[in-house]
């Protein structure tokens, strides 16, 4: 991992509504290094999607700024073109066009860069090969499984070799085995291609696969933890377990656990 900052937010704030304003995001400062996998977790409504949409220039901040690869978004003349070149998106729903084959779907973002037909096709086939779907190139989305469709969506996100890929609950519609496959694919792309990934998830197992986990609450960054060691991963997983939740809530526990609960809850606070 280099120390090149590929994404930075400064005081990023988004207020929705006028009469009853909701501060969906409240002064978020964030730096993401090239080659990092960052997971954003937090309760429903905490501002995760709002943050991702602002980073991806799909929404405009009320105040503060987003800087992608050294360029403040406010200085970008043609946002559509900038977005197409610099950012890849993966959503919970794959959003593939149903009448296009896998290969044609992967080619879609390349039109923005006016890449010629031959090169477009070759690159799409390479990307499908990269995600293990060369044999599905001519299939329609309806002829593929949920996990395969999401892999096509990942290949499409990589179409223009973006500086950063943003994924909002990319495994939200998948079973746990397929979720593990998709996370393994992201990890391989990270290792082989230096993929920089910002991933929103409410699945702690997904988050534990990241190198860094940010917790958002009420539009603010509450915790920012580097998963430097196996212990931090295990603690994060334990935190979402029934027992971990009980300890965090301060529930009454059997005596043998009550004795160590204060120490554990302190440890869990840190992840
Ligand atoms: N377009 C919008 N208009 C009004 N309120 C919104 C809009 N988008 C999000 N919000 C509100 O902002 C808060 C954060 O939402 P969101 O970022 O979608 O949360 P999360 O993705 O963490 O579940 C919520 O209170 C939500 O109701
Ligand atoms: Mg959301």
């Amino acid at each position: 991992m280099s120390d090149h900052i590929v994404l930075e937010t400064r005081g990023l704030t988004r207020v929705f509504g006028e009469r009853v304003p909701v501060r969906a995001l409240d002064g978020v400062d964030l730096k993401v290094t090239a080659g990092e996998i960052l997971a954003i977790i937090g309760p429903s409504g905490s501002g995760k999607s709002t943050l991702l949409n602002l980073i991806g220039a799909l929404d405009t901040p009320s105040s503060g700024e987003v800087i992608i690869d050294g360029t403040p978004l406010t200085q970008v003349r043609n946002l559509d073109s900038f977005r197409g070149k610099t950012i890849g998106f993966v959503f919970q729903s794959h959003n593939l066009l149903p009448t296009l084959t896998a290969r044609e779907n992967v080619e879609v973002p390349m039109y923005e860069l006016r890449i010629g037909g031959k090169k477009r096709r070759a690159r799409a086939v390479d990307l499908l090969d990269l995600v293990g779907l060369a044999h599905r190139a001519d299939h329609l989305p309806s002829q593929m499984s949920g996990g395969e469709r999401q892999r096509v969506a990942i290949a499409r996100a990589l179409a223009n070799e973006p500086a950063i890929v943003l994924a909002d609950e990319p495994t939200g519609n998948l079973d746990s085995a397929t979720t593990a496959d998709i996370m393994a694919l992201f990890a391989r792309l990270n290792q082989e291609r230096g993929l920089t990934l910002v991933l929103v998830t409410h699945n702690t197992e997904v988050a534990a696969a990241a190198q860094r986990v940010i917790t958002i609450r009420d539009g603010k960054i509450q915790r920012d933890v580097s998963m430097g060691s196996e212990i931090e991963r295990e603690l994060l997983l334990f935190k979402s377990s029934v027992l971990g939740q009980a300890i965090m809530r301060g529930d009454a526990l059997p005596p043998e656990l009550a004795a160590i609960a204060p120490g554990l809850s302190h440890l869990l606070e840190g992840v």
Side-chain angles (χ1 to χ4, degrees), residues 43-50 53 92 168-169 200:
S44 174
S46 56
K48 304 181 298 295
S49 294
T50 302
N53 292 343
Q92 177 166 358
D168 197 348
E169 303 277 6
V200 165

Side-chain angles (χ1 to χ4, degrees), residues 108-128:
V108 167
M110 302 181 203
Y111 286 85
E112 181 72 44
L113 301 194
R114 302 183 200 289
I115 296 169
K118 222 175 173 179
K119 196 168 167 199
R120 234 178 25 234
R121 279 189 290 281
R123 200 191 273 186
V125 169
D126 281 350
L127 285 167
L128 286 171

Side-chain angles (χ1 to χ4, degrees), residues 219-245:
K220 293 190 172 78
I221 293 184
Q222 193 184 35
R223 269 191 294 274
D224 184 343
V225 179
S226 288
M227 296 281 118
S229 72
E230 202 52 41
I231 288 198
E232 279 154 340
R233 277 176 221 284
E234 294 299 330
L235 280 175
L236 189 67
L237 288 174
F238 178 65
K239 190 175 181 173
S240 66
S241 69
V242 173
L243 185 55
Q245 293 279 305

